[in-house]
Amino acid sequence: MPGTEALLRLAILNAAYAAALDADRLEEWPDFFTEDSLYNITTTENHRKGLQAGVIYCHSRAMLHDRVFALRKA
């Protein structure tokens, strides 16, 4: 179990993450992830069936930047 300091850092990071999204600063959002991160959103039905297909699937920070760009320009 993480210590108090680690939990405090996580809470601060989570608050900054939420603040960026709430303020529509989506261009900052990918910077909360590591370069080789995995971001996957799937449906409940697919998850229950054990299917890995995601509605959104990004396997790097660069792909997250692309998602933001597509969202802004689409």
Side-chain angles (χ1 to χ4, degrees):
M1 176 171 229
T4 304
E5 184 177 331
L7 289 174
L8 179 59
R9 287 177 190 237
L10 184 58
I12 292 169
L13 178 63
N14 193 46
Y17 180 97
L21 293 177
D22 289 346
D24 196 32
R25 299 189 324 259
L26 300 182
E27 289 73 15
E28 296 175 20
W29 172 70
D31 297 331
F32 287 95
F33 297 85
T34 61
E35 186 56 43
D36 62 345
S37 59
L38 174 62
Y39 186 83
N40 185 29
I41 297 175
T42 190
T43 64
T44 301
E45 182 179 346
N46 280 358
H47 178 73
R48 286 183 183 146
K49 292 180 179 179
L51 302 174
Q52 296 181 2
V55 176
I56 297 176
Y57 180 87
C58 301
H59 60 80
S60 69
R61 185 186 307 147
M63 288 183 78
L64 294 172
H65 280 288
D66 289 345
R67 291 293 308 152
V68 172
F69 180 80
L71 177 68
R72 293 289 195 206
K73 301 299 178 189

